[in-house]
Amino acid sequence: MNTTSNRKRRISAVAILGLAASVAATGTGLAATTPPSTVHATTATAAAAPTRSFQGVLPAPTGPYAAGEDVIHLTDASRPDPWVPSSGPRQLTVTMVYPAVPGTGTPAPYMTLGEAAGIVQRRKLPASSGVTPESLSSVTTHAFDGARPQMGKYPLVVLSPAFENPRMTLTSLATDLASHGYVVALVGHTYEDSGETLANGQTSPCAICDYPAWLDFDSVASGRALDASFVIDQLTHGNTAWRLAHLIDKHEIGMAGHSIGGAAAAATMIADPRVRAGVNMDGTFHPDPMPGQITRPFLMLGKTANTDWEHPWAALGGYKKWLTVTGADHFSFSDLELLQGQAGFPTPPLSPDRGIAITREYVTAFFDQTLKGTHSPLLDGPSPDNPEVLFQH
């Protein structure tokens, strides 16, 4: 295992543009939010239009703490990389977000320039859109490098992003959880997205994004479960992987994921009893859990009532909630929709700000109840403050 700190320039929002078209081809069963023809037309229009200006800003955390951030690099010497075995042992880049003292630290990067360049290249974004590595480097994250940690022990929440999406696309959720008293591990699944900058400074390309027709998404989910369990191992055995590992309450661990990351949360719960609660944000399960495999709390949060979720819902044996969000699309549960709107691209009926606010509020309430033992009335039924959120069961 090796550990380094990564303090390069911030970048993001690029993953938002054109993502809908690519997800439709991943085999996950998740519909694109915009038909490919519309995406192509939008891109062509952007190319013909005058260059826009872009300034991305993520929403500030809502809790009492600031969000500190460290980037660590881990190497699992026990297994080769599943997608590029010739690269050697599995390497992971993980962003740690933690409860911090307000007013300490310096603004943290969103992505490295290499990660940003990977997204721009993969999405073929026209310069006229204004979404360039240079403009994206100014995205405001509300996370702070080197911030002084709050004293105490906090539950650990592991986050896994959607297929082709780098880990930073869940930064809004991570910073908000940290502000409410959680340590968060944002896991970058190497070779499964547009690029993760590794310990040697090189940014890995996506090795599997162009082959969804033959890709076994059950294997993707199970591989991510191995990644998650390895990260948990490293963070709960001493302080060698991360300098602030003493902040983690190793007996209170949860996991949440978006799309295939949600499937990975379920797969991790099946394989690793240390994960006490899980959240699937708009992801098809790979595979469906069988009765008795998940008897710990689980939240399903999605855009519409999904018939693919009926069997998993019936199989879940513990405390469980199935919520849908009216007007949302697949990317309403990550940073992507918000940044897309700020870049001048179309957004779904549900405003991006509401999508992020709802995601943060319900995921935090779920972990408060299941990891901290703090009852949240928000989970008891419909709320007049959140009329978009429907309880399916």
Side-chain angles (χ1 to χ4, degrees):
M1 181 201 74
N2 55 58
T3 305
T4 64
S5 180
N6 189 349
R7 309 221 187 271
K8 300 184 180 178
R9 289 177 62 80
R10 78 190 70 168
I11 301 287
S12 174
V14 275
I16 58 183
L17 311 175
L19 264 177
S22 67
V23 168
T26 62
T28 62
L30 297 168
T33 60
T34 307
S37 59
T38 304
V39 172
H40 295 155
T42 301
T43 302
T45 301
T51 300
R52 298 177 56 91
S53 61
F54 169 76
Q55 183 175 3
V57 180
L58 301 183
T62 62
Y65 305 134
E69 180 179 303
D70 283 330
V71 176
I72 63 175
H73 300 280
L74 306 175
T75 300
D76 185 354
S78 71
R79 60 188 175 117
D81 187 273
W83 309 119
V84 185
S86 61
S87 67
R90 180 68 162 166
Q91 298 182 67
L92 299 172
T93 301
V94 182
T95 300
M96 302 301 304
V97 191
Y98 58 91
V101 176
T104 64
T106 58
Y110 198 11
M111 287 187 181
T112 68
L113 288 173
E115 290 160 344
I119 299 173
V120 171
Q121 180 180 12
R122 180 154 190 83
R123 299 300 160 210
K124 299 179 173 63
L125 298 176
S128 60
S129 70
V131 183
T132 66
E134 290 73 24
S135 66
L136 288 169
S137 66
S138 64
V139 169
T140 300
T141 68
H142 300 286
F144 296 89
D145 273 333
R148 189 163 74 249
Q150 295 281 352
M151 300 292 290
K153 294 276 189 182
Y154 304 96
L156 171 66
V157 175
V158 178
L159 295 182
S160 180
F163 184 65
E164 293 197 32
N165 287 213
R167 67 193 188 280
M168 310 78 170
T169 56
L170 295 178
T171 295
S172 293
L173 177 58
T175 55
D176 203 57
L177 283 167
S179 77
H180 286 278
Y182 292 87
V183 171
V184 181
L186 272 168
V187 181
H189 302 282
T190 311
Y191 298 116
E192 297 178 26
D193 61 40
S194 53
E196 302 286 342
T197 299
L198 302 176
N200 63 4
Q202 299 297 308
T203 301
S204 62
C206 189
I208 59 176
C209 293
D210 294 328
Y211 307 101
W214 57 255
L215 194 59
D216 178 2
F217 279 90
D218 289 2
S219 295
V220 175
S222 62
R224 288 190 176 205
L226 292 174
D227 288 347
S229 289
F230 172 70
V231 169
I232 293 170
D233 288 342
Q234 298 301 306
L235 293 175
T236 56
H237 294 127
N239 294 347
T240 57
W242 180 44
R243 65 186 180 90
L244 299 177
H246 61 275
L247 297 175
I248 295 171
D249 180 350
K250 64 181 66 177
H251 302 295
E252 300 294 344
I253 299 173
M255 182 170 175
H258 176 218
S259 193
I260 191 66
T268 304
M269 288 190 73
I270 292 171
D272 193 334
R274 295 174 297 179
V275 181
R276 295 168 52 87
V279 180
N280 181 348
M281 297 181 291
D282 210 47
T284 298
F285 287 81
H286 288 283
D288 285 352
M290 301 301 292
Q293 286 187 314
I294 299 179
T295 57
R296 305 183 296 287
F298 203 88
L299 169 65
M300 303 193 311
L301 180 66
K303 62 182 183 297
T304 58
N306 186 345
T307 56
D308 289 345
W309 277 4
E310 291 288 354
H311 184 268
W313 170 259
L316 296 173
Y319 173 81
K320 57 184 180 180
K321 294 291 178 179
W322 178 354
L323 311 179
T324 58
V325 184
T326 303
D329 74 5
H330 186 52
F331 295 105
S332 296
F333 307 94
S334 72
D335 299 345
L336 304 186
E337 221 69 87
L338 179 72
L339 295 172
Q340 178 168 303
Q342 292 173 355
F345 286 78
T347 58
L350 181 74
S351 79
D353 293 287
R354 285 296 294 153
I356 287 179
I358 288 169
T359 300
R360 288 170 147 192
E361 195 170 351
Y362 281 87
V363 172
T364 300
F366 176 75
F367 285 131
D368 281 351
Q369 185 152 312
T370 58
L371 297 181
K372 293 184 177 181
T374 303
H375 174 68
S376 176
L378 194 65
L379 297 173
D380 292 342
S383 165
D385 293 332
N386 297 296
E388 309 95 333
V389 179
L390 306 179
F391 283 66
Q392 295 301 312
H393 291 279

